[in-house]
């Protein structure tokens, strides 16, 4: 399956596209960081992000979009910008009819490192290893976006197997949403 | 001028459309509260909001969109949802090429009541009076959205007169953004 992961942010928004199957190897398809100038007006920044994320969804036609869930433990002023960027990312998938799932940072860390409390360096190391990259993706937003996509591929597979074992084809995650086609 | 005001929220998003000119009387054109169920998934909620706000902008073709600026003094978990809804509202204007301006709650209160620390009841009373309504708009989100639109009409006029007095046609507000046509 092809998954587009987004580490949302107004100044730097990481986007990683990964193909793979649950339990199997993952391949990097694309990675980029969408940037908007911090001195630009908010509407212009959100529109830039919206246009680029929309274009990436149209270009790659992912089967799923995975976005990092925004939490309140950060600096509250930063959290507002991150929440606004996450809304744009979620809409980019939802408008295209692509299922969107959100994951907490701990879920992503646990998926790629085995520990929900791993630090950023450990996540970057594991993303580099899992995708067999010659060098680490930079900046950290790029590595985080790739980790989100890997997390969705692996967890999605586990959910599908669980649903199958329970005798239904139903999606297992309470946080997944099937979109509108 | 015709202004569409938005009091952003995920559960209740107030929208008010007001026509008027700076220093003159204002007329209500439309008011509604867009609601999304709190037990629905976030992507579905954001998409519902996006579709309705986009439809209202296409229907009314406002010359400006005024959105309440999100602040961090609220409950941080609530602030995340409000910030996400505000991003959808700002994008609805920006995508349509309509200039979007954000106002703090204090700016809106000061515009319609003369005091930046007025309470909600006072804002509702003044909105009802200024628009010569037979009864108060309910819920408060509807009154707040109308107040935002009135605030923009009045402040926009003051800014235009200031800019004219300064010898330029330039917009005076650092928070206004002209959109893309």
């Amino acid at each position: 399956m092809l998954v587009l992961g987004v580490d949302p942010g107004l100044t730097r928004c990481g986007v990683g596209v990964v193909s793979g199957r649950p339990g199997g190897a993952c391949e990097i398809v694309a990675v980029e960081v969408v940037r908007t100038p911090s001195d630009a007006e908010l509407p212009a920044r959100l529109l830039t992000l919206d246009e680029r994320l929309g274009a990436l969804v149209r270009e790659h036609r992912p089967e799923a979009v995975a976005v990092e869930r925004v939490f309140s433990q950060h600096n509250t002023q930063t959290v507002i910008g991150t929440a606004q960027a996450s809304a744009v990312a979620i809409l980019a998938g939802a408008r295209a009819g692509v299922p969107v799932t959100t994951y907490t940072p701990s879920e992503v860390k646990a998926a790629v490192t085995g520990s929900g409390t791993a630090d950023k360096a450990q996540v970057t190391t594991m993303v580099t290893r899992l995708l067999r990259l010659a060098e680490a993706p930079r900046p950290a937003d790029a590595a985080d976006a790739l980790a989100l996509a890997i997390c969705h591929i692996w967890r999605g597979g586990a959910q599908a197997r669980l649903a199958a074992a329970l005798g239904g084809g139903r999606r297992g995650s309470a946080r997944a949403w099937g979109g509108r086609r």
Side-chain angles (χ1 to χ4, degrees), chain A:
Chain A
M1 76 183 308
L2 190 70
V3 178
L4 186 145
V6 182
D7 181 29
L10 273 184
T11 304
R12 291 185 310 278
C13 181
V15 184
V17 184
V18 175
S19 86
R21 53 193 178 72
C26 289
E27 303 284 341
I28 187 170
V29 174
V31 65
E32 79 172 61
V33 176
V34 185
R35 294 166 195 270
T36 74
S38 57
D39 60 351
E41 292 298 327
L42 180 61
R45 300 182 81 181
L46 294 177
L47 190 59
T48 299
L49 203 54
D50 177 60
E51 288 174 344
R52 187 60 196 142
L53 291 175
L56 285 166
V57 169
R58 284 189 297 277
E59 180 186 345
H60 294 288
R61 300 170 165 273
E63 292 160 73
V65 169
V67 181
E68 186 167 300
R69 201 177 309 163
V70 186
F71 265 96
S72 49
Q73 66 257 39
H74 306 87
N75 170 298
T76 45
Q77 205 51 55
T78 307
V79 134
I80 291 171
T82 307
Q84 289 170 324
S86 80
V88 176
I90 291 168
L91 266 187
R95 279 174 166 250
V98 180
V100 179
T101 309
T102 57
Y103 292 103
T104 65
S106 306
E107 287 172 328
V108 177
K109 288 172 182 176
V112 301
T113 73
S115 162
T117 58
D119 63 16
K120 278 198 174 288
Q122 202 177 337
V123 171
T124 297
T125 300
M126 282 307 295
V127 165
T128 309
R129 187 174 302 165
L130 292 167
L131 296 174
R132 300 173 305 285
L133 303 175
E135 56 186 72
R138 295 271 179 254
D141 315 78
D144 286 348
L146 291 165
L148 273 150
I150 296 169
C151 170
H152 184 79
I153 290 169
W154 287 0
R155 287 177 61 112
Q159 282 162 2
R161 285 193 300 278
L162 182 63
L166 291 168
R170 200 169 142 270
R171 293 290 296 268
S173 170
R175 296 291 180 168
W177 176 78
R180 291 185 196 167
R181 289 272 178 194

